[in-house]
Every structure is written in structure tokens, then in C-alpha cells.
Amino acid sequence: MATGQPIKMYLTIFVATTCIYMVLYQYHVSRQPMPQVEFLKAPPPPPPPLYIITPTYKRAEQLAELTRLGYTLKHVPNLLWIVVDDANHTSPLVIETLNRIGVPYEYFLAPMPEIYKHTKKAKPRGVSNRNRGLDYIRANATDGVLYFADDDNTYDISIFDQMRYTKKVSMWPVGLVTKFGISTPIIRNGKIVGFYDGWIGGRKFPVDMAGFAVSVKFLHERPKAKMPYKPGYEEDGFLKSLQPLPLTEIELLASNCTEILTWHTQTKKNANATALNTNVHGGTNLVQLDKYLVRA
Ligand code: UGA
Ligand code: MN
């Protein structure tokens, strides 16, 4: 027997065994369930955008109110916070506060017209601000929903996820309004049959600013819609400017208006702070803190 014969035989056995193992391994692998490849699944589409218009103005509570509202809005996805200051100059403190909160925002100025500022009668609060917000939406938004969120109210975040699917105009109850304790559409058999509010004042839509949202597409279909400088009639005037708006087409949120998810809270007015005596406190932290205070 030639010496090469056993080597050839061993080699054949080795190659054959390797082949068998490879076939067996392939078979084993083919029987394993496919791993879930998450990244191959299409991500869910983002929810429709929300445009939250917040009028604000300088007073002792301003930064506190914006901080509280801002951290509420931080829980809400796909939202642009349109903060409009009733002021002639931008406020570095407001900008610093908005940056710290970290909600996507735009910051605009819209001072109240002088003729209303000096009246002894009720002032049209937040009207120039809200109309400035509407201008921004008209120029920059195509879809989604807008909502007027005053800086001093309380909002349950679930109302934002409900309002963002508004097709035309949606409404829901607002707590802490007038002596009735609430302002809401009255619903019977799923339909609006009236409005419950301690002050009706001859309004067609006697609702609170915090109690309705409007679709951006619907706003585009009403290019003249805006808020009037008419104290007490801002909501009514704006909703009327959206007409035709039959009550049957208003979408009812908060479980057919059976829950309170927004409140007209109203913060206690704080007096302006008295002047800092720099002779006594010069060179201390009080000098740096001074910029945060609205002084008498
Ligand atoms: C509510 C409505 O939000 C007002 O639009 C309406 O004028 C008022 O009721 C009314 O019917 O008399 P209310 O809580 O009474 O408002 O008023 P504020 O909270 O003081 O003001 C409403 C919003 O406008 C706030 O976001 C506030 O920051 C802003 N505002 C107020 C200004 O931008 N400028 C002002 O001089 C006062
Ligand atoms: Mn208020």
C-alpha cells in the first residue's frame, strides 16, 4: 500500500464530516425564528401639529406663569408654542425662560394699541397678541390645530391630544369661570342645545378662551377671521368671524363635555416689589436677583 493512501482517506473523512456539520448547522439556523427587526417597521406617522398661541405681558407673575405653562406643554409632542408678548421690546428674561424650558417656540411682540391701554373701562386683554399668532399661522402652517392658551390657566395634557384631531372647531368645558363655576356647551342627546355660563351677554358663542380649538385648514378657509378688540366678546367675536359655523358641526371633546380638563385659574395678583437698597445690599446676590423683579 502506498503511503499517500491513509492520508487521502483521512482527508476524505474530514471533508465529509465538515460538510455534514455545515449542512446540519444551516438546517438548524433555518429553523430559528427570524429576529424581530424593529427598524424595518415604518414608524407611526407624527400626530397633527398643534399651534398654541399664548398671550403674555410683563408683571410680577409673568415668568412664573410661563414656567408653569411651559412645563405642561413639554409633555405634548409635535407642538409649537407661539408666545406673544404685549410689549414694545423683547424681554431677555422671557427668552431665557423659554430656552430653559425647551419647548419649540416662536416669540413675537404685539403691544396692545395705545387707544385701549389708557382706557378706564375693561381692556381687550391679549387680543393683539392672539391676532399676531393667527398671522403667523396663516403664513407658516398648512395643517394641524390652533388653540389660545392664556398664560395663567391650568391645562390637563390629555386635552391637547384630543384637540389635535379637530376638523373645524371643537369645544369642551372650562372650570372656574364665573359664579357658575364652569363654562360649557349644554349637551342633550349628544347635541349642543345651549351654553352654560354665568354671563351670556347676548353672545352667540358664550364660551371661554380655554374652551375651544380650531383647525388650521378651517382657519385658512376663513381668511378674514380675527379677534375683535371688544372686552368680554373676544371669543364670541372670533368664533363669529369663522361663520358659517353651525352648532351641529362643532366637535365635542372631554367625553362629550362631561369632564373638566381646563381651568380659568387666575393667579393672585402680586404687588410689585419695593426698591432694593443698594447702599445696604450692594455687592450681594440681591443685585443679580434684581433683574427678575418687577419693581414698584
Ligand atoms: C379672559 C380672556 O382670556 C380674555 O381674552 C378676556 O379679555 C377676559 O377673559 C374678559 O372677558 O374680560 P382673563 O383671565 O380675565 O381673560 O384675563 P387675563 O388672564 O388677565 O388675560 C388674558 C391673556 O392676555 C393672558 O394670557 C395675559 O397674559 C394676556 N394679557 C393680559 C396681555 O397680553 N396684556 C394685558 O394687558 C393683559
Ligand atoms: Mn386669565
Side-chain angles (χ1 to χ4, degrees):
M1 206 163 69
T3 46
Q5 285 279 322
I7 296 172
K8 224 172 164 181
M9 192 179 74
Y10 286 133
L11 257 177
T12 311
I13 291 168
F14 175 75
V15 169
T17 315
T18 311
C19 283
I20 288 166
Y21 271 107
M22 278 171 70
V23 167
L24 281 174
Y25 177 72
Q26 286 300 328
Y27 177 70
H28 169 77
V29 165
S30 74
R31 305 236 337 155
Q32 296 293 312
M34 280 288 282
Q36 287 290 317
V37 191
E38 281 298 327
F39 58 84
L40 285 181
K41 282 191 197 161
L50 272 181
Y51 298 91
I52 307 296
I53 300 174
T54 295
T56 190
Y57 71 112
K58 185 174 173 174
R59 75 273 197 205
E61 304 82 29
Q62 183 179 33
L63 300 179
E65 303 286 33
L66 290 173
T67 298
R68 187 163 46 145
L69 173 56
Y71 283 106
T72 295
L73 298 181
K74 204 166 180 177
H75 293 282
V76 185
N78 209 9
L79 170 150
L80 181 67
W81 191 15
I82 303 166
V83 179
V84 192
D85 210 343
D86 176 357
N88 292 309
H89 305 284
T90 54
S91 158
L93 285 174
V94 168
I95 294 170
E96 191 183 287
T97 303
L98 298 177
N99 286 340
R100 190 167 53 218
I101 295 167
V103 167
Y105 75 88
E106 295 284 348
Y107 175 60
F108 301 117
L109 297 180
M112 185 184 289
E114 291 293 325
I115 41 162
Y116 304 114
K117 256 188 209 167
H118 306 293
T119 176
K120 289 215 170 68
K121 294 186 265 170
K123 295 185 174 92
R125 285 166 287 178
V127 173
S128 55
N129 325 37
R130 296 191 194 95
N131 283 327
R132 177 66 186 85
L134 291 176
D135 290 345
Y136 173 87
I137 290 171
R138 285 201 165 96
N140 296 282
T142 52
D143 61 346
V145 165
L146 75 98
Y147 177 57
F148 299 118
D150 287 357
D151 59 1
D152 58 337
N153 293 336
T154 308
Y155 308 90
D156 183 305
I157 54 169
S158 67
I159 197 64
F160 297 107
D161 283 332
Q162 296 184 30
M163 72 171 78
R164 69 164 87 233
Y165 298 99
T166 301
K167 291 189 194 70
K168 290 183 175 173
V169 172
S170 57
M171 288 186 181
W172 58 88
V174 181
L176 301 175
V177 179
T178 73
K179 62 180 186 300
F180 285 11
I182 193 170
S183 168
T184 180
I186 303 172
I187 312 301
R188 194 186 292 278
N189 299 326
K191 289 194 175 64
I192 301 182
V193 296
F195 291 91
Y196 188 76
D197 189 303
W199 177 69
I200 297 293
R203 295 179 291 170
K204 176 166 189 202
F205 299 101
V207 296
D208 187 78
M209 200 65 74
F212 66 91
V214 179
S215 115
V216 169
K217 283 208 167 77
F218 190 66
L219 182 78
H220 279 303
E221 289 165 15
R222 304 302 189 255
K224 290 193 184 128
K226 63 173 193 255
M227 194 163 286
Y229 288 96
K230 207 175 160 193
Y233 292 84
E234 293 92 340
E235 298 90 344
D236 189 48
F238 175 67
L239 289 165
K240 277 178 172 165
S241 75
L242 292 173
Q243 291 185 119
L245 176 59
L247 294 186
T248 47
E249 290 188 8
I250 291 172
E251 298 140 70
L252 306 174
L253 304 186
S255 302
N256 258 340
C257 299
T258 60
E259 297 167 340
I260 300 181
L261 299 173
T262 53
W263 291 264
H264 182 246
T265 318
Q266 296 197 298
T267 307
K268 170 187 155 293
K269 275 256 164 283
N270 293 270
N272 288 345
T274 51
L276 181 71
N277 183 341
T278 42
N279 290 334
V280 178
H281 299 296
T284 73
N285 62 322
L286 295 175
V287 177
Q288 280 138 292
L289 287 171
D290 194 61
K291 68 171 178 175
Y292 293 104
L293 304 184
V294 174
R295 294 290 186 194

